[in-house]
Amino acid sequence: MLVHAKSTPRSSFEYVEGWGMAVGAHARVLRPRTVSEVLAAFDLARRESTTLGLRGTGCSYGDASVNACGHALDTTAMNRVLSWDPATGVAVLEPGVTIEALWQRILPDGWWPPVVPGTAFPTIAGVAAMNIHGKNNFKAGTIGDWIREFDLALPRGEIVTCSREKESDLFHAAIGGFGMLGAFTRIVLQTKHVHSGDVEVTAVRARNLREIMDHFEGRTSSVDYLVAWIDAFAGGEALGRGQIHEARYLAAGEDPDPRRTLDVGHQHLPKSILGVPKGEAWRVIRLLNNDRGMRFLNSVKYATGRLEVLKGPFRESLAAFNFLLDYVPNWKWAYGRSERRGLIQHQLFLPAKGAHDAYCAILERNLANGCVPYLAVFKRHRPDPFWMTHALDGWSLALDFKVTPGNRDRVWAHCAELSELTLEAGGKFYFAKDLVIGPKEAERMYAPEMLEAFRALKRRADPDALLQTDLWRRVFGGAA
Ligand SMILES: Cc1cc2nc3c(=O)[nH]c(=O)nc-3n(C[C@H](O)[C@H](O)[C@H](O)COP(=O)(O)OP(=O)(O)OC[C@H]3O[C@@H](n4cnc5c(N)ncnc54)[C@H](O)[C@@H]3O)c2cc1C
C-alpha cells in the first residue's frame, strides 16, 4: 500500500531516557498523529541524514527506545481504538493505545488483554515490538501469539499488512524486532474472554529455589498465572527462598456479581499504602534503598508472607493482580532522580534442563560479588515462533540492580559475569530489560542463520538504516 507523505509531524526537543533512568539523551522528538506523518518523519530523517528511534511510553528499562545519535519517533499520539467487537473480542488499535486504555475499554464487555506486563502504561506497539510476556507466559504465550495482523510503515516508504499468511517473515520478525524493521501503525489483537473482573489468588511460601520450581511444575496445568518473588539476600539452605503467587480466572457462575467486578471502578488500585498516600510512598522506600535497608525489607517480606499464606485463596481484581508494580507511582525514583542514576534489570532466561543449578550459581555469584539485586522475580516460559524472541521452554529470573555513578562499572562487570553463566547454560536475554550485553553475547544467543535473516530483512525494509536505537548500535553494531 502506498501512502503519500504530507505534513511533517509536530516535534519538540526533550531529554529521552530509558525507564530505569540509567541512560538517556537529549533528542528531537517527532510525534506523528497519522500514518502519512509517520512516512513524512522517514522522509525528514532521510533529508537530514539522521536516524530515528521508535518510542512508545518509554517503559523499556534500558536503551531500547533511546537514540542518542538522532531523533525519537514517538507514536503515542496515534492512540485511537479503531474498532472493538465485543462479540469476538477482536480489537483494532493504533500503535499508541496503552494497555491501560485497552483494558478499560474492553473489560466491561467481559474481555481482558491476554498478555500484560507488570505495568499498564506501555503502548500496544511497544509491547508488540518487544513481544512481551506476562505472568502467564507458560500458558498463554507472548503477546505476539495473540496478534492477528498489523500494518507496518517501512522506512523505504510503504505500508505493508502482515499476518501469519501474508508477509509471514515480516510478521514473525517485526514482532519482537525492537522497532528495527518499521513502525506499527495498526495492530489487530485477539483478546481473552473473562467471566469476572476478579481472579482467585493463592500465596505459597517456598524455602528455597527447588521448592519454587517444583511447585511451578506441579501447577502449570491447573492455574493461569504463576510468579515468584525471591529474596536474593538469602543464602545457604535458604538460597532462592521466596513467595509464589498463583492465580486462576473464575469460571462462569463463580462470581456472584460479574457486572460489578467487570466495572472499571472495581479495578482501581488503593489510594494509600499503610496510610501513606501512594504518590509519596517512593520517598519512604528511598530511605531503605541501600544494601542494608533492602536486606531488611526482603527478610520482612519473606517473614510476613506467612500471613498471606494463612489467609488461603482470595479474590483480587485483574488490575491489582497484574499491575502490582503500579501500586506505588514512580517507585523507581526511590533509586535516585538525577541523570544516569537509577536501576537496571537483567532478566536471565534459561532452558528447563539444568536451570536449577545455573540459577543457584547466579544467586550465589550475586552474594559472592556483593552485588545483590533489590528485587528478583521468577517466571516460567514457553517458546514461540518469533524470530528474535526471548521466550523459551524454561524459566527467567529478573534481577533489579541499583545504579549510581560510583558503582556503575562494578554493576556492569558483575552483570557480565551473570551473562556468561547464562550463556554457558544455553540461555538468552531480553531487550526490554537489557542494558549490558554486547555483540558477542547476541551472537551466542541466536543461531547465525537467524541473525543473518533478520539483518537481511532490515536491509530490505530499511535500506538507509533510518531506524536505529542505542540498543541496536550496542548489540548489533548499527549496520544491517
Ligand atoms: C514496571 C515495569 C514492569 C514490566 N513488566 C514486564 C513484564 O512483566 N513482561 C515484559 O515482557 N515486559 C515488562 N516490562 C517491559 C515493557 O513491557 C516493555 O519494555 C514494553 O516494550 C514497553 O512498551 P513502551 O510502549 O513503553 O515502548 P518503549 O519502551 O518506548 O519501546 C519499546 C520498543 O518498541 C519499539 N517501538 C515503539 N513504538 C513502536 C512502533 N510504533 N512500531 C514499532 N516499534 C515501536 C521501540 O523502538 C523499542 O524498541 C515492564 C516494564 C516496566 C517499566
Side-chain angles (χ1 to χ4, degrees):
M1 188 198 318
L2 276 173
V3 175
H4 293 290
K6 289 191 183 98
S7 58
T8 308
R10 276 186 289 194
S11 70
S12 55
F13 201 69
E14 294 168 24
Y15 183 68
V16 177
E17 65 181 0
W19 187 86
M21 305 172 297
V23 280
H26 290 277
R28 184 171 165 197
V29 182
L30 305 165
R31 289 203 172 79
R33 286 156 302 173
T34 61
V35 177
S36 64
E37 285 189 2
V38 172
L39 295 179
F42 292 146
D43 280 349
L44 179 132
R46 203 173 284 107
R47 276 199 316 274
E48 293 185 358
S49 300
T50 190
T51 60
L52 294 172
L54 282 161
R55 186 163 167 97
T57 33
C59 290
S60 295
Y61 276 64
D63 53 1
S65 59
V66 176
N67 182 22
C69 302
H71 304 331
L73 180 53
D74 171 330
T75 53
T76 52
M78 297 169 73
N79 59 3
R80 289 172 305 157
V81 175
L82 297 172
S83 76
W84 163 240
D85 183 351
T88 60
V90 174
V92 182
L93 307 166
E94 283 195 326
V97 173
T98 61
I99 297 296
E100 183 175 52
L102 175 63
W103 77 252
Q104 293 192 349
R105 173 72 186 269
I106 67 178
L107 187 63
D109 293 325
W111 299 84
W112 180 253
V115 173
V116 295
T119 170
F121 304 130
T123 62
I124 189 69
V127 303
M130 283 303 177
N131 193 25
I132 63 137
H133 62 267
K135 302 172 182 63
N136 55 356
N137 190 217
F138 64 95
K139 189 144 194 176
T142 47
I143 192 75
D145 287 318
W146 296 80
I147 293 176
R148 290 183 159 194
E149 182 181 288
F150 57 77
D151 286 346
L152 198 67
L154 304 184
R156 70 173 190 231
E158 216 178 306
I159 311 292
V160 185
T161 300
C162 307
S163 66
R164 284 169 183 77
E165 298 76 36
K166 248 186 308 175
E167 299 285 352
S168 165
D169 280 0
L170 257 186
F171 181 83
H172 289 98
I175 291 177
F178 38 95
M180 282 305 106
L181 301 177
F184 294 113
T185 53
R186 183 186 68 102
I187 293 181
V188 182
L189 181 74
Q190 174 65 58
T191 65
K192 156 110 186 110
H193 184 43
V194 289
H195 298 286
S196 168
D198 283 346
V199 280
E200 185 184 84
V201 184
T202 308
V204 180
R205 237 158 101 89
R207 284 170 301 182
N208 52 46
L209 188 65
R210 180 81 274 157
E211 284 192 7
I212 292 184
M213 293 174 83
D214 287 349
H215 183 85
F216 270 50
E217 292 299 40
R219 301 294 287 159
T220 45
S221 52
S222 40
V223 297
D224 296 299
Y225 295 92
L226 274 166
V227 63
W229 157 82
I230 286 178
D231 173 4
F233 285 91
E237 297 284 289
L239 191 74
R241 74 177 181 184
Q243 184 99 341
I244 301 163
H245 284 102
E246 53 176 55
R248 65 171 186 88
Y249 297 113
L250 300 184
E254 274 193 277
D255 182 346
D257 191 359
R259 277 220 346 208
R260 185 183 65 85
T261 60
L262 292 170
D263 188 77
V264 172
H266 174 73
Q267 301 289 322
H268 284 315
L269 304 176
K271 288 202 166 55
S272 66
I273 299 156
L274 301 173
V276 180
K278 277 200 325 181
E280 301 303 318
W282 66 270
R283 294 181 197 278
V284 178
I285 305 173
R286 187 178 192 168
L287 299 174
L288 292 167
N289 199 268
N290 51 60
D291 285 357
R292 199 183 286 183
M294 283 295 155
R295 175 186 289 275
F296 170 73
L297 258 193
N298 273 268
S299 56
V300 169
K301 184 169 161 55
Y302 182 70
T304 54
R306 193 187 294 274
L307 302 174
E308 202 188 20
V309 174
L310 286 175
K311 110 176 152 177
F314 57 98
R315 290 191 181 179
E316 195 170 35
S317 74
L318 278 157
F321 176 75
N322 279 290
F323 307 126
L324 186 68
L325 291 168
D326 294 345
Y327 262 92
V328 183
N330 298 315
W331 58 268
K332 64 177 181 177
W333 289 349
Y335 284 85
R337 287 190 67 182
S338 53
E339 285 174 21
R340 296 171 64 80
R341 208 176 255 281
L343 72 156
I344 59 169
Q345 189 177 103
H346 202 22
Q347 188 168 3
L348 312 170
F349 288 75
L350 291 180
K353 194 162 176 282
H356 173 265
D357 291 355
Y359 281 128
C360 285
I362 285 165
L363 289 166
E364 274 162 356
R365 188 67 63 93
N366 292 331
L367 295 167
N369 285 357
C371 213
V372 182
Y374 291 176
L375 179 66
V377 175
F378 199 60
K379 291 183 192 146
R380 184 74 169 90
H381 300 272
R382 77 173 198 201
D384 62 49
F386 301 99
W387 287 16
M388 306 301 277
T389 192
H390 54 280
L392 41 60
D393 177 13
W395 307 82
S396 76
L397 177 62
L399 306 173
D400 285 10
F401 293 100
K402 179 174 179 170
V403 175
T404 64
N407 80 354
R408 217 176 162 92
D409 291 347
R410 195 165 68 85
V411 171
W412 259 250
H414 174 64
C415 286
E417 289 183 30
L418 301 188
S419 302
E420 186 54 35
L421 291 172
T422 304
L423 288 167
E424 278 168 10
K428 288 174 150 186
F429 311 99
Y430 180 24
F431 294 131
K433 309 294 181 67
D434 170 58
L435 196 54
V436 297
I437 72 162
K440 288 205 174 76
E441 285 81 5
E443 276 162 25
R444 288 168 68 188
M445 126 183 187
Y446 294 112
E449 335 47 277
M450 185 56 80
L451 270 183
E452 183 40 40
F454 187 76
R455 286 182 187 281
L457 207 49
K458 177 151 176 79
R459 284 193 293 270
R460 281 215 323 267
D462 183 14
D464 303 314
L466 296 184
L467 287 177
Q468 296 203 20
T469 55
D470 287 9
L471 166 75
W472 172 248
R473 287 183 290 270
R474 170 169 61 85
V475 181
F476 298 91

